[in-house]
mmCIF file of all heavy atoms in Angstrom:
data_model
loop_
_atom_site.group_PDB
_atom_site.id
_atom_site.type_symbol
_atom_site.label_atom_id
_atom_site.label_comp_id
_atom_site.label_asym_id
_atom_site.label_seq_id
_atom_site.Cartn_x
_atom_site.Cartn_y
_atom_site.Cartn_z
ATOM 1 N N PRO A 943 -7.443 9.542 -31.641
ATOM 2 C CA PRO A 943 -7.160 10.323 -32.864
ATOM 3 C C PRO A 943 -6.507 11.672 -32.570
ATOM 4 O O PRO A 943 -5.831 12.231 -33.434
ATOM 5 C CB PRO A 943 -8.556 10.501 -33.481
ATOM 6 C CG PRO A 943 -9.516 10.294 -32.363
ATOM 7 C CD PRO A 943 -8.883 9.317 -31.443
ATOM 8 N N ASP A 944 -6.676 12.217 -31.352
ATOM 9 C CA ASP A 944 -6.068 13.506 -31.022
ATOM 10 C C ASP A 944 -4.558 13.413 -30.873
ATOM 11 O O ASP A 944 -3.868 14.439 -30.865
ATOM 12 C CB ASP A 944 -6.667 14.053 -29.718
ATOM 13 C CG ASP A 944 -8.109 14.474 -29.888
ATOM 14 O OD1 ASP A 944 -8.504 14.765 -31.029
ATOM 15 O OD2 ASP A 944 -8.849 14.497 -28.887
ATOM 16 N N THR A 945 -4.025 12.180 -30.761
ATOM 17 C CA THR A 945 -2.569 12.010 -30.643
ATOM 18 C C THR A 945 -1.948 11.523 -31.949
ATOM 19 O O THR A 945 -0.720 11.488 -32.080
ATOM 20 C CB THR A 945 -2.238 10.997 -29.539
ATOM 21 O OG1 THR A 945 -2.710 9.693 -29.912
ATOM 22 C CG2 THR A 945 -2.876 11.390 -28.214
ATOM 23 N N ALA A 946 -2.770 11.132 -32.934
ATOM 24 C CA ALA A 946 -2.273 10.490 -34.155
ATOM 25 C C ALA A 946 -1.554 11.481 -35.076
ATOM 26 O O ALA A 946 -2.030 12.601 -35.310
ATOM 27 C CB ALA A 946 -3.427 9.830 -34.896
ATOM 28 N N HIS A 947 -0.412 11.056 -35.610
ATOM 29 C CA HIS A 947 0.312 11.824 -36.623
ATOM 30 C C HIS A 947 -0.598 12.040 -37.837
ATOM 31 O O HIS A 947 -1.394 11.161 -38.193
ATOM 32 C CB HIS A 947 1.576 11.058 -37.017
ATOM 33 C CG HIS A 947 2.452 11.787 -37.982
ATOM 34 N ND1 HIS A 947 2.254 11.723 -39.353
ATOM 35 C CD2 HIS A 947 3.526 12.607 -37.782
ATOM 36 C CE1 HIS A 947 3.179 12.448 -39.944
ATOM 37 N NE2 HIS A 947 3.961 12.996 -39.034
ATOM 38 N N PRO A 948 -0.524 13.193 -38.500
ATOM 39 C CA PRO A 948 -1.431 13.490 -39.619
ATOM 40 C C PRO A 948 -1.387 12.464 -40.755
ATOM 41 O O PRO A 948 -2.342 12.382 -41.538
ATOM 42 C CB PRO A 948 -0.961 14.867 -40.086
ATOM 43 C CG PRO A 948 -0.353 15.488 -38.874
ATOM 44 C CD PRO A 948 0.296 14.367 -38.138
ATOM 45 N N LYS A 965 -0.611 13.684 -46.041
ATOM 46 C CA LYS A 965 -0.639 14.280 -44.714
ATOM 47 C C LYS A 965 -1.911 15.100 -44.564
ATOM 48 O O LYS A 965 -2.151 16.058 -45.296
ATOM 49 C CB LYS A 965 0.589 15.164 -44.509
ATOM 50 C CG LYS A 965 0.718 15.715 -43.103
ATOM 51 C CD LYS A 965 2.032 16.470 -42.924
ATOM 52 C CE LYS A 965 2.205 16.960 -41.499
ATOM 53 N NZ LYS A 965 3.495 17.660 -41.313
ATOM 54 N N LYS A 966 -2.765 14.718 -43.631
ATOM 55 C CA LYS A 966 -4.042 15.400 -43.420
ATOM 56 C C LYS A 966 -3.815 16.733 -42.707
ATOM 57 O O LYS A 966 -2.865 16.902 -41.937
ATOM 58 C CB LYS A 966 -4.986 14.515 -42.604
ATOM 59 C CG LYS A 966 -5.340 13.199 -43.301
ATOM 60 C CD LYS A 966 -6.413 12.436 -42.548
ATOM 61 C CE LYS A 966 -5.900 11.863 -41.244
ATOM 62 N NZ LYS A 966 -4.884 10.808 -41.436
ATOM 63 N N ASN A 967 -4.712 17.646 -42.929
ATOM 64 C CA ASN A 967 -4.651 18.960 -42.282
ATOM 65 C C ASN A 967 -5.401 18.874 -40.960
ATOM 66 O O ASN A 967 -6.627 18.995 -40.898
ATOM 67 C CB ASN A 967 -5.267 20.031 -43.182
ATOM 68 C CG ASN A 967 -5.125 21.428 -42.600
ATOM 69 O OD1 ASN A 967 -4.314 21.640 -41.698
ATOM 70 N ND2 ASN A 967 -5.918 22.358 -43.105
ATOM 71 N N LEU A 968 -4.666 18.646 -39.887
ATOM 72 C CA LEU A 968 -5.270 18.467 -38.564
ATOM 73 C C LEU A 968 -4.735 19.512 -37.601
ATOM 74 O O LEU A 968 -3.624 20.038 -37.783
ATOM 75 C CB LEU A 968 -4.949 17.065 -38.020
ATOM 76 C CG LEU A 968 -5.480 15.874 -38.824
ATOM 77 C CD1 LEU A 968 -4.951 14.563 -38.242
ATOM 78 C CD2 LEU A 968 -7.007 15.883 -38.823
ATOM 79 N N PRO A 969 -5.506 19.823 -36.542
ATOM 80 C CA PRO A 969 -5.016 20.798 -35.532
ATOM 81 C C PRO A 969 -3.736 20.276 -34.866
ATOM 82 O O PRO A 969 -3.658 19.110 -34.484
ATOM 83 C CB PRO A 969 -6.170 20.870 -34.523
ATOM 84 C CG PRO A 969 -7.371 20.358 -35.255
ATOM 85 C CD PRO A 969 -6.875 19.346 -36.235
ATOM 86 N N ASP A 970 -2.756 21.152 -34.760
ATOM 87 C CA ASP A 970 -1.475 20.753 -34.145
ATOM 88 C C ASP A 970 -1.576 20.929 -32.631
ATOM 89 O O ASP A 970 -0.898 21.753 -32.034
ATOM 90 C CB ASP A 970 -0.339 21.592 -34.728
ATOM 91 C CG ASP A 970 1.022 21.077 -34.264
ATOM 92 O OD1 ASP A 970 1.094 19.893 -33.853
ATOM 93 O OD2 ASP A 970 1.999 21.848 -34.287
ATOM 94 N N ASN A 971 -2.446 20.139 -32.020
ATOM 95 C CA ASN A 971 -2.623 20.217 -30.565
ATOM 96 C C ASN A 971 -1.420 19.608 -29.844
ATOM 97 O O ASN A 971 -0.657 18.831 -30.430
ATOM 98 C CB ASN A 971 -3.913 19.495 -30.147
ATOM 99 C CG ASN A 971 -4.000 18.103 -30.728
ATOM 100 O OD1 ASN A 971 -4.251 17.946 -31.912
ATOM 101 N ND2 ASN A 971 -3.782 17.090 -29.909
ATOM 102 N N PRO A 972 -1.212 19.946 -28.579
ATOM 103 C CA PRO A 972 -0.021 19.473 -27.852
ATOM 104 C C PRO A 972 0.088 17.952 -27.767
ATOM 105 O O PRO A 972 1.188 17.420 -27.647
ATOM 106 C CB PRO A 972 -0.200 20.090 -26.453
ATOM 107 C CG PRO A 972 -1.111 21.246 -26.651
ATOM 108 C CD PRO A 972 -2.031 20.862 -27.772
ATOM 109 N N GLU A 973 -1.035 17.249 -27.830
ATOM 110 C CA GLU A 973 -0.999 15.800 -27.671
ATOM 111 C C GLU A 973 -0.567 15.071 -28.948
ATOM 112 O O GLU A 973 -0.200 13.901 -28.901
ATOM 113 C CB GLU A 973 -2.396 15.277 -27.263
ATOM 114 C CG GLU A 973 -2.872 15.764 -25.904
ATOM 115 C CD GLU A 973 -3.480 17.149 -25.995
ATOM 116 O OE1 GLU A 973 -3.739 17.610 -27.136
ATOM 117 O OE2 GLU A 973 -3.675 17.791 -24.935
ATOM 118 N N ARG A 974 -0.595 15.761 -30.102
ATOM 119 C CA ARG A 974 -0.377 15.079 -31.378
ATOM 120 C C ARG A 974 1.109 14.914 -31.694
ATOM 121 O O ARG A 974 1.912 15.826 -31.476
ATOM 122 C CB ARG A 974 -1.046 15.865 -32.512
ATOM 123 C CG ARG A 974 -1.107 15.100 -33.823
ATOM 124 C CD ARG A 974 -1.812 15.912 -34.898
ATOM 125 N NE ARG A 974 -3.135 16.351 -34.491
ATOM 126 C CZ ARG A 974 -4.203 15.575 -34.468
ATOM 127 N NH1 ARG A 974 -4.087 14.284 -34.820
ATOM 128 N NH2 ARG A 974 -5.376 16.045 -34.088
ATOM 129 N N PHE A 975 1.468 13.715 -32.229
ATOM 130 C CA PHE A 975 2.825 13.485 -32.714
ATOM 131 C C PHE A 975 3.013 14.250 -34.016
ATOM 132 O O PHE A 975 2.188 14.152 -34.928
ATOM 133 C CB PHE A 975 3.072 11.993 -32.951
ATOM 134 C CG PHE A 975 3.176 11.192 -31.670
ATOM 135 C CD1 PHE A 975 2.052 10.561 -31.136
ATOM 136 C CD2 PHE A 975 4.383 11.074 -30.999
ATOM 137 C CE1 PHE A 975 2.133 9.832 -29.960
ATOM 138 C CE2 PHE A 975 4.469 10.341 -29.827
ATOM 139 C CZ PHE A 975 3.344 9.720 -29.300
ATOM 140 N N SER A 976 4.109 14.998 -34.107
ATOM 141 C CA SER A 976 4.320 15.850 -35.280
ATOM 142 C C SER A 976 5.311 15.264 -36.278
ATOM 143 O O SER A 976 5.167 15.491 -37.484
ATOM 144 C CB SER A 976 4.813 17.234 -34.830
ATOM 145 O OG SER A 976 3.833 17.874 -34.052
ATOM 146 N N LEU A 977 6.332 14.535 -35.826
ATOM 147 C CA LEU A 977 7.386 14.075 -36.728
ATOM 148 C C LEU A 977 7.335 12.571 -36.994
ATOM 149 O O LEU A 977 7.723 12.137 -38.076
ATOM 150 C CB LEU A 977 8.761 14.450 -36.159
ATOM 151 C CG LEU A 977 9.030 15.949 -35.975
ATOM 152 C CD1 LEU A 977 10.432 16.175 -35.429
ATOM 153 C CD2 LEU A 977 8.851 16.684 -37.304
ATOM 154 N N ARG A 1015 6.134 15.038 -27.902
ATOM 155 C CA ARG A 1015 5.559 14.508 -29.147
ATOM 156 C C ARG A 1015 5.861 15.388 -30.357
ATOM 157 O O ARG A 1015 5.363 15.122 -31.451
ATOM 158 C CB ARG A 1015 4.045 14.345 -28.969
ATOM 159 C CG ARG A 1015 3.734 13.563 -27.688
ATOM 160 C CD ARG A 1015 2.278 13.517 -27.352
ATOM 161 N NE ARG A 1015 2.095 13.063 -25.974
ATOM 162 C CZ ARG A 1015 0.931 12.691 -25.447
ATOM 163 N NH1 ARG A 1015 -0.158 12.729 -26.178
ATOM 164 N NH2 ARG A 1015 0.856 12.306 -24.186
ATOM 165 N N LYS A 1016 6.655 16.423 -30.138
ATOM 166 C CA LYS A 1016 6.937 17.364 -31.214
ATOM 167 C C LYS A 1016 8.366 17.246 -31.730
ATOM 168 O O LYS A 1016 8.773 18.047 -32.570
ATOM 169 C CB LYS A 1016 6.691 18.802 -30.728
ATOM 170 C CG LYS A 1016 5.275 19.045 -30.201
ATOM 171 C CD LYS A 1016 4.221 18.733 -31.251
ATOM 172 C CE LYS A 1016 2.821 18.975 -30.727
ATOM 173 N NZ LYS A 1016 1.779 18.643 -31.735
ATOM 174 N N VAL A 1017 9.120 16.267 -31.249
ATOM 175 C CA VAL A 1017 10.515 16.094 -31.686
ATOM 176 C C VAL A 1017 10.691 14.680 -32.236
ATOM 177 O O VAL A 1017 9.820 13.819 -32.098
ATOM 178 C CB VAL A 1017 11.493 16.325 -30.515
ATOM 179 C CG1 VAL A 1017 11.366 17.742 -29.989
ATOM 180 C CG2 VAL A 1017 11.235 15.327 -29.392
#
Side-chain angles (χ1 to χ4, degrees):
D944 291 337
T945 66
H947 184 274
K965 186 174 183 178
K966 298 187 289 294
N967 185 17
L968 298 174
D970 188 21
N971 50 286
E973 296 82 12
R974 191 178 305 283
F975 289 94
S976 297
L977 299 181
R1015 309 172 194 192
K1016 303 302 180 181
V1017 299

